[in-house]
Amino acid sequence: MMTVSTEPGDASHLSTSRDRAELALPSSFVRFRKGEPLYRTGEGAEALFSIVSGVVKSYTMLPDGAQHIIVFSFADDLVGSVQNGTHLNSAEALTAVTAYRMPMVAINAQIRSDPDLQFHLISQLSHELHQAQAHAFLLSRQRAITRIGLFLRMLEAHQGTARGSLQEIYMPMKRSDIGAYAGISLEAVGRSFQTLVNRGAIAIRDRRYVQIINRALFEAAIFEKKGGHSGAAGR
């Protein structure tokens, strides 16, 4: 169950216009346990959530009951797609999540007179659009290994892992969630990771940590022409 704290937190590290704009709202600090929903499709949109820590998945349900994951959201992301006063999709905590809950009533009241808040929300909407475009590009690729490579690139960018470095990439999501995001079967997810390992592109410490150990081999593996060893994407 979501827990709410009304006690003021330590805001000494909040210095950007984004942080100041959000703190100007009567927001509350909330915590979600792993697997707990933030909201569900069709529910009235009472608030937006600015993630402080943790990872959230946003998804829709397919006719066969499977999840189609639209986006993974991380610290500093704004969660809560809204249309006509209701949520367009569902959101669930993939890990323990802390966030600022910002009531829509307060946002609508203040956005008319607060340039900082207006700019922040527009920036966040642009960021969400960029994420949606990146996801659409990923799904347009035919090969499963390309989709997995682009997924790893996305995590790398969010975690600030420098290109060419040997820092590990943390994957908090299950392999089934990766498949639901990449639009491929669980088996195709496993084959793609194993192919990247076999080609000397990545090393897997466990199911949560991956390391790109050879950038050139990694890029060559995920962008080679169709007809290579890994084949097309499959459900």
Side-chain angles (χ1 to χ4, degrees):
M1 181 177 182
M2 177 184 71
T3 58
V4 181
S5 173
T6 57
E7 297 180 3
D10 178 9
S12 60
H13 65 292
L14 301 176
S15 58
T16 66
S17 61
R18 165 195 179 278
D19 298 321
R20 289 194 297 271
E22 288 181 1
L23 286 178
L25 291 168
S27 58
S28 54
F29 192 72
V30 296
R31 295 179 175 86
F32 296 91
R33 295 192 298 265
K34 178 180 178 180
E36 188 174 0
L38 280 69
Y39 53 81
R40 299 189 187 280
T41 304
E43 289 183 349
E46 298 179 352
L48 300 181
F49 297 88
S50 179
I51 301 176
V52 176
S53 65
V55 183
V56 172
K57 68 175 180 181
S58 298
Y59 64 92
T60 57
M61 298 301 297
L62 299 176
D64 63 1
Q67 290 184 0
H68 170 60
I69 296 178
I70 302 166
V71 66
F72 294 110
S73 300
F74 303 85
D76 294 335
D77 285 343
L78 194 64
V79 178
S81 298
V82 178
Q83 186 175 55
N84 298 326
T86 61
H87 288 294
L88 290 173
N89 48 53
S90 299
E92 179 184 308
L94 268 180
T95 65
V97 168
T98 59
Y100 285 107
R101 182 183 185 275
M102 301 179 293
M104 291 298 301
V105 171
I107 292 174
N108 291 333
Q110 189 157 339
I111 197 172
R112 300 183 184 93
S113 59
D114 190 333
D116 277 348
L117 183 59
Q118 285 183 328
F119 177 77
H120 167 56
L121 291 177
I122 291 172
S123 297
Q124 286 298 100
L125 289 173
S126 298
H127 177 63
E128 287 188 0
L129 178 60
H130 174 74
Q131 288 180 313
Q133 290 172 334
H135 190 212
F137 177 75
L138 179 150
L139 293 177
S140 72
R141 304 299 91 185
Q142 293 296 313
R143 300 170 63 246
I145 194 171
T146 302
R147 297 186 184 188
I148 292 301
L150 293 173
F151 164 76
L152 289 175
R153 276 181 157 195
M154 180 270 293
L155 288 183
E156 187 178 49
H158 274 287
Q159 295 171 20
T161 307
R163 285 193 173 278
S165 74
L166 292 179
Q167 295 182 44
E168 288 183 313
I169 299 170
Y170 174 54
M171 299 188 300
M173 56 287 294
K174 298 181 294 185
R175 294 295 174 93
S176 58
D177 286 330
I178 296 173
Y181 176 79
I184 58 178
S185 67
L186 185 61
E187 292 75 15
V189 172
R191 286 196 303 268
S192 297
F193 275 110
Q194 190 58 53
T195 298
L196 289 170
V197 170
N198 293 343
R199 296 190 185 186
I202 67 172
I204 300 177
R205 173 154 64 94
D206 54 35
R207 297 183 70 84
R208 291 286 181 261
Y209 290 92
V210 171
Q211 190 176 52
I212 298 176
I213 57 176
N214 189 309
R215 179 69 56 177
L217 290 177
F218 176 77
E219 299 291 336
I222 68 174
F223 289 119
E224 71 179 9
K225 293 181 179 180
K226 184 178 176 182
H229 297 294
S230 58
R235 291 299 301 177

